[in-house]
Amino acid sequence: MQAPRLRSRPRKTTAAPAVLAALVILGWPAADAAQGPKAKDPAANPATTPATTQTAPQPEASPTNTPPQPGWVARCSSLGRDAPLECAVEETAVLTKTGQVIVVVNIRVASDTHTPVAVVQLPLGLNLPAGTRMQVDEGKPIDLTIQTCEDRGCYANSPVAPELLAALKSGKQLKVSFQTLSKETVTIPMPLADFPAAYDRIK
């Protein structure tokens, strides 16, 4: 069975067997995964496509029949007429064939403190004690604790330090890593080409 093709803006890539195997272990549809020899570096050929969809401040999955558009999206919303605006930028990685959401990175700027906070949505079926890791290009990895899980997935959040924000604006790729229940590491790459312009619209 042919592995899923990745949806990205500049080019198309193919999924690595090791990452696809990890997706099956997590309980994602086997129809979207190809059987094959395990690769040593699952990050070399990602199994997902970075994309974005407009959602609530806490990321949520998009319908499979309306795949989100690629790139970072900037959005502002308010809970009421007199409530302050809450603005965020967001990018989503989905399985191309099904549109199933794998990872969502949402960076919100609080209206009171103007401090950016990152919320990372991950799939269910993870090794929770291992948490998740964010890394821009080959920079310093940042470990996050998975704090809660619900029907849509598991969530980790953390304030975005000035150093990380600068790296996101100047970097080429954000990598989000997590472990399956079998302790296999899965790394999802998310391009940053659209991040600076999107973030400038909400800061």
Side-chain angles (χ1 to χ4, degrees):
M1 184 177 297
Q2 186 177 0
R5 297 176 64 188
L6 309 184
R7 189 188 313 116
S8 85
R9 301 189 80 175
R11 62 186 182 277
K12 296 181 180 179
T13 54
T14 350
V19 177
L20 292 173
L23 301 186
V24 176
I25 292 170
L26 285 167
W28 299 329
D32 297 317
Q35 299 297 327
K38 181 178 289 187
K40 293 183 179 180
D41 183 8
N45 293 301
T48 56
T49 297
T52 52
T53 181
Q54 295 185 1
T55 60
Q58 187 180 53
E60 75 178 277
S62 58
T64 58
N65 60 344
T66 54
Q69 297 178 351
W72 290 84
V73 163
R75 177 189 60 78
C76 293
S77 62
S78 175
L79 296 177
R81 179 175 299 178
D82 298 326
L85 282 176
E86 294 287 345
C87 296
V89 294
E90 184 174 284
E91 185 168 19
T92 303
V94 300
L95 288 176
T96 304
K97 188 173 181 179
T98 65
Q100 183 177 358
V101 173
I102 305 303
V103 171
V104 181
V105 177
N106 179 289
I107 298 179
R108 178 178 62 88
V109 178
S111 58
D112 50 353
T113 64
H114 301 286
T115 300
V117 177
V119 178
V120 181
Q121 177 184 329
L122 304 162
L124 297 171
L126 305 183
N127 178 22
L128 297 180
T132 184
R133 171 172 288 187
M134 296 195 304
Q135 183 181 22
V136 177
D137 298 330
E138 301 306 318
K140 181 181 177 181
I142 299 172
D143 294 322
L144 284 77
T145 300
I146 297 175
Q147 295 157 323
T148 185
C149 296
E150 44 103 59
D151 290 344
R152 291 177 295 180
C154 296
Y155 299 90
N157 67 73
S158 173
V160 178
E163 296 80 8
L164 175 57
L165 183 59
L168 290 168
K169 290 181 177 181
S170 62
K172 295 181 179 179
Q173 188 179 82
L174 171 65
K175 292 175 283 189
V176 179
S177 303
F178 51 87
Q179 285 188 0
T180 66
L181 288 175
S182 61
K183 297 186 177 181
E184 180 176 0
T185 299
V186 177
T187 300
I188 306 299
M190 308 183 85
L192 290 167
D194 296 332
F195 181 85
Y199 189 81
D200 283 346
R201 290 196 289 270
I202 70 164
K203 67 180 182 179

